[in-house]
Amino acid sequence: MDFELGEEQRDFFSAVVEFASREIDPGLEDREKAGGFSRELWEKCAEFGIQGLPFPVEHGGQGADVLTTALAMEGLGLACRDNGLLFSLNAHMWSAAMPVSRFGDESQKQRYLRGLCDGSLIGVQGMTEPGSGSDAFALETTAELRGDGYILNGSKTFITNAPVADVFVVFATLDRSKGWAGLSAFIVEKGYPGLTVGKPVEKMGLKTSPMGDLFFDDCEVPAENLLGRAGSGMVIFQHSIDWERSLILANSVGAVQRQLNAAVEYGKEREQFGQSIGSFQAVSHRLADVHVRLEAARLLLYRLAWKWDNGKVTPADTSLVKLFLSENLVESTLSAMKTFGGSGYLVETGIERDLRDALASRIYSGTSDIQRSVIARDLGL
Ligand SMILES: Cc1cc2nc3c(=O)[nH]c(=O)nc-3n(C[C@H](O)[C@H](O)[C@H](O)COP(=O)(O)OP(=O)(O)OC[C@H]3O[C@@H](n4cnc5c(N)ncnc54)[C@H](O)[C@@H]3O)c2cc1C
């Protein structure tokens, strides 16, 4: 077993960190106050090659292996405090570009994957509905083959990027009596007749990542925009959710490292009772615990990336990583807040933003309860 990163991977990680701190971190406070998504930063990320990282070179991607991709996302989390922007990037890459890359035909890849890699298109997935969240396959949006296209009716909710997205991978049922076997996936463009994108919804955190609902009212989707085969929706969803659960929190490993670095510095500098607070065991042990959990999170992430690169991933592997990284992110952010005392509660320190952003990670891509259920099922329970 070799735990050493290659020189090229280390150099790339440094380049990502340098890019993120110079290009996409500055100005976060203003963007957050305005509640704004920045297309300019999106394009900068694409120019650097982020959106295309794991996708084939022939379709505009970088052809990076999964470990290198995970390292890049970690580097972004370390040097960029804009968790909303990173969340939007992740949603785009794993829930839209990945299914098009894996299940799209050549013409779909030329039309969509290229643009999803080069930053000219923003994508996301529409799965969740008002009546089906954790029970995702109970969705009610229908698709009907009519003439030379499909007609979609229904609605989707909590859709990341929706207000700014150009392309949606939407799941709908062709036959409700068949349950999950009746599900199909469609590539829907924002201008299609019958599609309405709701107003941006206000949420607790991830303020620079817009979210909205989708409404399909006899929405006309050309037949060639069926993704994969009719009835293969469940397989497509499982594939993309496995990718999403694996990598959507890779940036959290960098973010927790960033928080730990700052907390250690503060622990050395801040004095109470005539000594640095880091010399109190209550403080130093708390940070030691953060360090231990961070190392575990990093190893789990890298091992999962290795599994992807070697074709050994199971859904339980991805749930395990998603569960541990999200819970670790929340715990570590709380630890950072405790270490900083009253200053940690101030907006200017940025920890409260990290906390608001972190809490969402226990919900999106399947709640922590659902991840535990997947892991328990794998144990035979
Ligand atoms: C920031 C954010 C971004 C999102 N982006 C997208 C997106 O881009 N596209 C998209 O399609 N969706 C998106 N979602 C939706 C997300 O996938 C759902 O919110 C999530 O799956 C939970 O569904 P729900 O909100 O309906 O909660 P519910 O399913 O109603 O769950 C409510 C509570 O019940 C618990 N529960 C439910 N069923 C079980 C069970 N079987 N066992 C144990 N506990 C259970 C849950 O754990 C939770 O605590 C996003 C959500 C958030 C918060």
Side-chain angles (χ1 to χ4, degrees):
M1 204 177 280
D2 182 2
F3 289 102
E4 195 69 51
L5 293 174
E7 196 182 332
E8 225 174 276
Q9 286 169 321
R10 286 200 306 271
D11 288 350
F12 184 56
F13 181 81
S14 303
V16 171
V17 168
E18 201 271 326
F19 159 75
S21 59
R22 178 171 39 86
E23 298 286 350
I24 58 173
D25 182 66
L28 165 63
E29 289 77 5
D30 293 340
R31 289 198 297 282
E32 198 188 30
K33 263 188 207 131
F37 169 83
S38 167
R39 188 117 198 179
E40 189 193 340
L41 295 188
W42 184 268
E43 281 162 10
K44 280 188 182 176
C45 289
E47 259 170 53
F48 185 84
I50 299 296
Q51 286 91 323
L53 269 171
F55 302 109
V57 175
E58 64 266 32
H59 295 117
Q62 306 296 319
D65 59 35
V66 184
L67 181 56
T68 304
T69 304
L71 282 170
M73 302 318 267
E74 179 186 344
L76 291 179
L78 177 66
C80 172
R81 299 159 304 145
D82 191 341
N83 305 309
L85 174 66
L86 303 188
F87 183 66
S88 278
L89 286 167
N90 273 292
H92 164 97
M93 289 165 72
W94 313 123
S95 77
M98 188 52 82
V100 174
S101 176
R102 171 66 183 79
F103 297 98
D105 59 29
E106 188 51 34
S107 126
Q108 290 170 340
K109 288 180 191 173
Q110 292 298 343
R111 262 187 304 147
Y112 300 111
L113 187 54
R114 204 158 272 289
L116 291 168
C117 288
D118 72 16
S120 57
L121 294 178
I122 297 178
V124 78
Q125 185 172 108
M127 182 66 172
T128 307
E129 299 185 1
S132 57
S134 300
D135 190 8
F137 294 135
L139 62 80
E140 291 185 354
T141 296
T142 56
E144 189 191 331
L145 185 58
R146 220 187 275 170
D148 54 0
Y150 291 92
I151 302 296
L152 267 55
N153 278 292
S155 66
K156 299 287 175 183
T157 191
F158 296 125
I159 308 305
T160 300
N161 293 347
V164 296
D166 306 287
V167 176
F168 304 92
V169 171
V170 175
F171 290 84
T173 178
L174 277 165
D175 185 349
R176 286 199 72 189
S177 69
K178 288 189 180 162
W180 56 260
L183 298 184
S184 297
F186 302 86
I187 304 174
V188 179
E189 292 184 28
K190 73 172 170 196
Y192 282 178
L195 169 65
T196 307
V197 180
K199 286 198 189 100
V201 292
E202 205 175 330
K203 46 188 171 36
M204 176 185 192
L206 299 170
K207 298 277 191 187
T208 55
S209 173
M211 176 189 270
D213 290 350
L214 303 177
F215 303 95
F216 304 92
D217 184 10
D218 281 338
C219 174
E220 298 168 27
V221 179
E224 64 263 27
N225 278 35
L226 173 71
L227 185 60
R229 283 179 295 101
S232 62
M234 187 211 159
V235 174
I236 296 174
F237 179 72
Q238 187 62 52
H239 178 264
S240 74
I241 201 82
D242 280 345
W243 277 96
E244 193 174 291
R245 288 175 180 169
S246 300
L247 288 154
I248 200 162
L249 282 154
N251 57 289
S252 77
V253 173
V256 171
Q257 182 71 66
R258 161 168 55 75
Q259 292 170 348
L260 180 61
N261 295 346
V264 167
E265 277 314 300
Y266 191 75
K268 287 178 188 164
E269 280 163 19
R270 171 76 176 164
E271 291 199 353
Q272 287 294 281
F273 301 96
Q275 59 194 93
S276 68
I277 58 165
S279 63
F280 299 120
Q281 206 174 57
V283 175
S284 64
H285 281 196
R286 186 159 49 235
L287 296 183
D289 284 346
V290 172
H291 182 58
V292 171
R293 285 198 311 264
L294 172 60
E295 287 301 305
R298 186 177 276 126
L299 283 174
L300 283 175
L301 175 69
Y302 290 4
R303 189 185 65 148
L304 185 58
W306 176 87
K307 283 192 171 200
W308 274 109
D309 283 326
N310 290 278
K312 292 176 187 288
V313 175
T314 68
D317 291 329
T318 73
S319 284
L320 192 150
V321 165
K322 200 272 173 172
L323 176 65
F324 191 81
L325 266 58
S326 58
E327 295 294 329
N328 183 45
L329 179 62
V330 174
E331 280 307 309
S332 301
T333 311
L334 284 169
S335 294
M337 188 169 273
K338 284 180 194 160
T339 304
F340 277 78
S343 308
Y345 197 67
L346 300 183
V347 171
E348 66 181 37
T349 323
I351 300 174
E352 63 85 35
R353 181 198 311 108
D354 271 354
L355 185 59
R356 284 186 284 107
D357 295 346
L359 287 171
S361 71
R362 286 173 161 171
I363 303 170
Y364 57 66
S365 207
T367 66
S368 291
D369 297 325
I370 294 301
Q371 311 305 339
R372 287 190 174 92
S373 294
V374 174
I375 295 163
R377 212 178 308 132
D378 192 57
L379 293 174
L381 297 169

